[in-house]
Amino acid sequence: MKLSLIVLGLASTLASHVSASSYLPFSVSPLSTHEPNGNPEGDVNYYHINFTVSSSNDASGESSAICTNSWSDNDWEQPQAYSVNVPTGSWIACSPSTYSFQLYPYFSIGNFTLGIQQNFTSSTTWARMLASGSTHITNSTSDFTCTIDPNTVQYVQHASGDCSIPSGEHAISVPVTTASAAPNPCSNAAVINTTFVVTAQTTPEQSILVTGSIPELGNWDPISAVQLSSSNNDGTIAAPTWQGSASLPAGSDFRYKYLMQNGDGSMAWECCENRQYAVPSPACGKVVAGNNPDTFRG
């Protein structure tokens, strides 16, 4: 036991002396982004980003993950040429969650900054490492191109389109700029504590629940749904944040939706298609389903 502690301590010390520049860059391909047209009768009214990231920095060899996220469109009182609702300020787990990514303010589908983070075992020091980097992606080059419909019809449609890496073009490279000993090891537990976070326009008499396609979320039965809580549902802000956790089987892939419960006990389901999430296995750090936060679709 004492020898193990010495070895772990030595690995951590060695890790602190390995510079970020010694690690290979992340590789991103394919990559696609989508901007909705604002028409509720048309396509699903959400921004979307989807990509695959890979790296050869792990001691076990090359690994990859699929990263995706979607969020609500600007409304007609938000005419900015970029997404005002893009989730920023936190890392979004990929699948597997040894990778995560981050988005930044002023996101537009053809002009944005993408951050990548990986939790891996260094082949140099055999310590668990957390490395990250970011790059700016723009459709001003042949590496990333867009098809945009600029037409705008007030209250019916606004500019929309799709961007992607063209077939035959090389992957986007994201250099590693920071690297340090990972603060939290990955968990191989059979059950993962999974958090749900959603913003919803509720009154002090209302509350939010989540249910889904697995027994731990009630098997779509509102009576067995997981109750979420809010620390700011006092009427002072329009859309308080609600959150709660459930112990879910590692690796489980499920569908879910939020419900709004009124003061008289009646419930209303959020609209549109079911949400989907896969609990990572192994899980690294805090596991949050969906977009962190999701937005209640009234």
Side-chain angles (χ1 to χ4, degrees):
M1 180 67 175
K2 185 175 182 180
L3 178 59
S4 299
L5 292 174
I6 292 173
V7 172
L8 288 173
L10 177 59
S12 179
T13 300
L14 290 173
S16 66
H17 293 287
V18 177
S19 66
S21 61
S22 66
Y23 293 107
L24 296 172
F26 303 114
S27 179
V28 174
S29 184
L31 164 66
S32 63
T33 55
H34 169 73
E35 178 180 2
N37 63 13
N39 184 354
E41 302 302 322
D43 295 334
V44 175
N45 203 27
Y46 296 93
Y47 275 87
H48 188 73
I49 182 171
N50 185 82
F51 63 92
T52 298
V53 57
S54 59
S55 165
S56 297
N57 288 317
D58 193 274
S60 62
E62 184 174 5
S63 63
S64 64
I66 296 175
C67 309
T68 186
N69 200 12
S70 59
W71 59 94
S72 59
D73 192 11
N74 298 2
D75 63 33
W76 284 103
E77 295 179 351
Q78 298 169 318
Q80 293 89 337
Y82 54 85
S83 170
V84 299
N85 298 315
V86 58
T88 62
S90 62
W91 292 100
I92 302 166
C94 301
S95 180
S97 63
T98 47
Y99 288 89
S100 57
F101 71 101
Q102 190 167 17
L103 301 174
Y104 302 87
Y106 305 108
F107 176 101
S108 65
I109 60 172
N111 188 21
F112 60 95
T113 297
L114 177 65
I116 303 291
Q117 181 174 260
Q118 183 189 14
N119 189 314
F120 63 97
T121 299
S122 170
S123 59
T124 304
T125 65
W126 294 97
R128 199 68 191 174
M129 298 294 296
L130 196 63
S132 62
S134 64
T135 192
H136 191 77
I137 298 171
T138 174
N139 65 339
S140 62
T141 69
S142 62
D143 297 340
F144 192 67
T145 59
C146 299
T147 302
I148 302 293
D149 179 358
N151 293 324
T152 299
V153 180
Q154 191 71 8
Y155 301 114
V156 177
Q157 177 182 333
H158 58 59
S160 59
D162 294 274
C163 303
S164 62
I165 298 175
S167 175
E169 289 293 333
H170 58 75
I172 293 173
S173 180
V174 182
V176 173
T177 55
T178 63
S180 60
N184 296 310
C186 295
S187 170
N188 290 302
V191 176
I192 304 297
N193 187 55
T194 305
T195 300
F196 294 85
V197 184
V198 62
T199 58
Q201 296 183 359
T202 52
T203 65
E205 294 77 27
Q206 295 174 315
S207 60
I208 299 295
L209 303 90
V210 62
T211 187
S213 60
I214 54 178
E216 293 79 5
L217 295 179
N219 281 330
W220 297 118
D221 181 1
I223 302 300
S224 302
V226 176
Q227 178 74 57
L228 307 186
S229 61
S230 174
S231 62
N232 54 8
N233 187 40
D234 55 7
T236 58
I237 62 175
T241 298
W242 294 81
Q243 68 176 7
S245 299
S247 296
L248 307 182
S252 58
D253 190 327
F254 62 92
R255 308 298 189 273
Y256 70 101
K257 268 189 175 181
Y258 296 101
L259 304 96
M260 184 177 295
Q261 185 172 35
N262 299 308
D264 61 2
S266 61
M267 294 188 187
W269 292 79
E270 66 171 341
C271 77
C272 309
E273 70 280 359
N274 295 333
R275 302 176 187 269
Q276 181 179 1
Y277 186 70
V279 181
S281 179
C284 301
K286 182 178 181 180
V287 174
V288 181
N291 295 332
N292 192 21
D294 289 332
T295 300
F296 187 90
R297 304 177 300 208

